[in-house]
Amino acid sequence: MLQTVWVSSPGRWTLREPACHRSGKQTSWKCRFVRTIIQHPCQRHDTKCPGKVRMLKKIQICLCFFFVSGILYEISLLSSCFFSYVPMSKHFLTPEQVLNLGKSIIFLETTERLEPPPLVSCSVESAARIYQDRPIILFMKGLTNDTALDLNSSYAAFSLLSSMKNVFIFPLQMEIVFQETPLLQWYNQVVPEQEKNWVHVSSDASRLALIWKYGGIYMDTDVISIRPIPEESFLAAQKSRFSSNGIFGFPAHHKFIWDCMENFVLKYNGNIWGNQGPFLMTRMLKTICNLTDFKGTEDHRCQNISFLNPQRFYPIPYPAWGRYYQVWDKSPNFNHSYALHLWNFMNHNRKAVVAGSNTLAEKLYKAYCPTTYEDLIQNAELRDFTRSED
């Protein structure tokens, strides 16, 4: 009697009309049965009528029970249980439909790379585990709609992430992302081949546009989530009086993000690394807040924006980034942190997690992205060893 719920347009869920009411035709035995009950009441002086009435009432009660149960089941699909049912159909959803579910966690890959390395996989997996009731979206510039299904079987990390119930991987189409934002005119005029820092600049722009349009949290692909962030509107302090743009969150159409996009265009200088990223966030925050030094692990708040303590995401500052790949006598507990930024931009020597190394990074992989650790670290090393033996 009750049809399946599907996404008919961005942000709208619709219940299909029962088949028996389409075009005024009775198209199923259920419809004919129910209408027979209604259209054929007991005949007068029928001594068996009271029994029939009781039987019909019982049947009607049963039908009502199944109808209500069906409605409750459909409603459950729209709750936090949504992702328990989504794997069968999630590949048919568009980016807009998923983003309009709200409160997305957004990651970006603005290179042409198609195989997510272990750190990217760990970042996405850890977010999927911490935020199980929220969509986790990885946008990849090198991906197209035609290659998505092929990559699912070609690359281990792609297949691993695609199998997670609340993880979605979509092509990054900047010409669509920047529509209806101040960034579109800039994008149409800029020449990527002549830009010194295009990979970073295009990422800085894309994250602003996506968060402004749809809201949610943006995270860099070298951020490992360890517990939920309790704030909705926030910036992450890299140090006192200086904001990062590697992780931030706002509801859709927040004025601060719109102002950041306008300033992005007004003060654009692609030759200065970070001018459209952390320096942009910092100079815009200073226009509305009197920034002071942090004391202890307190957060600052200004104009309904939380400026979160460096301990929340940067307990190990960038000059000491290499400590993530060292063995600690006693591992830190990170009790004051929501996520950890591993500073991959600083990792010029491409230090990586090695199975059995007992480094801090290996322990983080084991704890917060165990599937990535098992499939892309342990099993990959085993496969390499087997090939060398052959």
Side-chain angles (χ1 to χ4, degrees):
M1 292 181 64
L2 202 61
Q3 302 297 323
T4 306
V5 167
W6 80 102
V7 179
S8 59
S9 62
R12 180 180 300 171
W13 293 83
T14 309
L15 191 63
R16 286 181 178 171
E17 185 182 6
C20 57
H21 293 296
R22 296 176 189 167
S23 304
K25 298 179 181 180
Q26 298 179 14
T27 57
S28 72
W29 68 267
K30 295 178 185 177
C31 303
R32 292 193 296 272
F33 178 71
V34 172
R35 290 185 178 177
T36 298
I37 292 175
I38 297 172
Q39 293 174 356
H40 296 279
C42 296
Q43 298 297 319
R44 202 172 186 182
H45 307 303
D46 188 347
T47 57
K48 297 181 180 180
C49 188
K52 290 182 180 179
V53 170
R54 286 193 296 271
M55 180 184 72
L56 294 179
K57 285 184 177 179
K58 289 180 180 179
I59 292 173
Q60 289 173 336
I61 291 172
C62 290
L63 291 174
C64 290
F65 172 77
F66 287 121
F67 180 76
V68 172
S69 298
I71 291 178
L72 293 176
Y73 170 77
E74 302 293 352
I75 291 174
S76 72
L77 297 181
L78 306 181
S79 69
S80 61
C81 300
F82 169 78
F83 297 110
S84 297
Y85 302 93
V86 88
M88 292 298 293
S89 59
K90 76 174 188 176
H91 298 296
F92 299 101
L93 297 176
T94 66
E96 290 76 16
Q97 288 168 340
V98 177
L99 286 162
N100 278 318
L101 293 173
K103 296 187 176 181
S104 299
I105 312 294
I106 297 173
F107 295 88
L108 294 173
E109 175 58 76
T110 52
T111 71
E112 298 292 337
R113 180 173 57 190
L114 291 174
E115 167 68 338
L119 182 53
V120 174
S121 179
C122 184
S123 297
V124 176
E125 179 187 347
S126 65
R129 290 178 178 274
I130 296 298
Y131 303 96
Q132 296 185 23
D133 60 341
R134 299 172 71 163
I136 313 299
I137 307 176
L138 172 61
F139 285 100
M140 301 181 71
K141 182 177 180 294
L143 187 64
T144 66
N145 290 323
D146 296 331
T147 59
L149 294 179
D150 293 336
L151 288 172
N152 193 38
S153 57
S154 302
Y155 296 121
F158 199 97
S159 180
L160 182 157
L161 295 175
S162 297
S163 68
M164 296 180 183
K165 295 176 181 178
N166 59 333
V167 173
F168 300 81
I169 304 177
F170 293 121
L172 176 60
Q173 299 173 309
M174 295 184 191
E175 65 278 5
I176 296 177
V177 169
F178 296 141
Q179 286 180 6
E180 301 178 1
T181 77
L183 298 169
L184 182 61
Q185 182 179 1
W186 161 81
Y187 179 73
N188 288 334
Q189 294 175 350
V190 73
V191 181
E193 294 78 14
Q194 298 177 3
E195 292 292 322
K196 179 181 177 181
N197 298 298
W198 178 247
V199 168
H200 304 288
V201 168
S202 59
S203 178
D204 292 335
S206 297
R207 67 189 71 176
L208 289 172
L210 286 167
I211 294 300
W212 183 81
K213 281 185 168 184
Y214 303 103
I217 296 174
Y218 167 81
M219 292 185 184
D220 276 350
T221 52
D222 56 351
V223 172
I224 298 178
S225 298
I226 62 176
R227 58 178 56 88
I229 302 170
E231 305 288 344
E232 183 179 19
S233 301
F234 72 90
L235 294 171
Q238 185 173 314
K239 59 182 180 180
S240 289
R241 310 184 191 213
F242 189 81
S243 177
S244 159
N245 77 327
I247 179 168
F248 61 93
F250 285 90
H253 301 153
H254 196 283
K255 184 179 184 299
F256 179 81
I257 298 298
W258 181 268
D259 292 343
C260 284
M261 291 191 292
E262 289 188 328
N263 191 269
F264 183 106
V265 177
L266 181 65
K267 301 289 186 180
Y268 182 73
N269 187 340
N271 293 321
I272 302 176
W273 186 91
N275 186 62
Q276 324 307 135
F279 291 108
L280 166 66
M281 292 295 203
T282 301
R283 64 177 176 260
M284 294 306 296
L285 187 60
K286 285 181 177 180
T287 62
I288 59 174
C289 301
N290 180 25
L291 301 183
T292 59
D293 291 343
F294 287 98
K295 297 178 181 179
T297 58
E298 66 177 6
D299 299 319
H300 292 174
R301 190 166 182 83
C302 172
Q303 300 274 331
N304 294 322
I305 299 174
S306 295
F307 190 38
L308 300 184
N309 193 287
Q311 288 294 315
R312 305 302 182 204
F313 307 104
Y314 304 103
I316 297 179
Y318 79 89
W321 69 271
R323 299 195 68 190
Y324 280 114
Y325 297 93
Q326 295 175 357
V327 177
W328 292 51
D329 293 333
K330 183 180 179 180
S331 297
N333 53 36
F334 299 117
N335 285 339
H336 300 293
S337 301
Y338 303 133
L340 304 172
H341 194 289
L342 268 62
W343 302 106
N344 194 53
F345 178 73
M346 303 294 295
N347 190 1
H348 303 300
N349 295 327
R350 293 293 171 239
K351 292 184 178 181
V353 171
V354 178
S357 62
N358 204 35
T359 61
L360 177 58
E362 184 191 20
K363 292 180 178 179
L364 293 174
Y365 274 50
K366 286 182 177 180
Y368 301 107
C369 55
T371 305
T372 295
Y373 179 76
E374 180 180 352
D375 288 2
L376 303 186
I377 305 297
Q378 284 184 319
N379 290 349
E381 292 181 5
L382 180 61
R383 287 192 294 269
D384 292 342
F385 175 78
T386 303
R387 290 193 195 101
S388 66
E389 289 294 306
D390 294 341

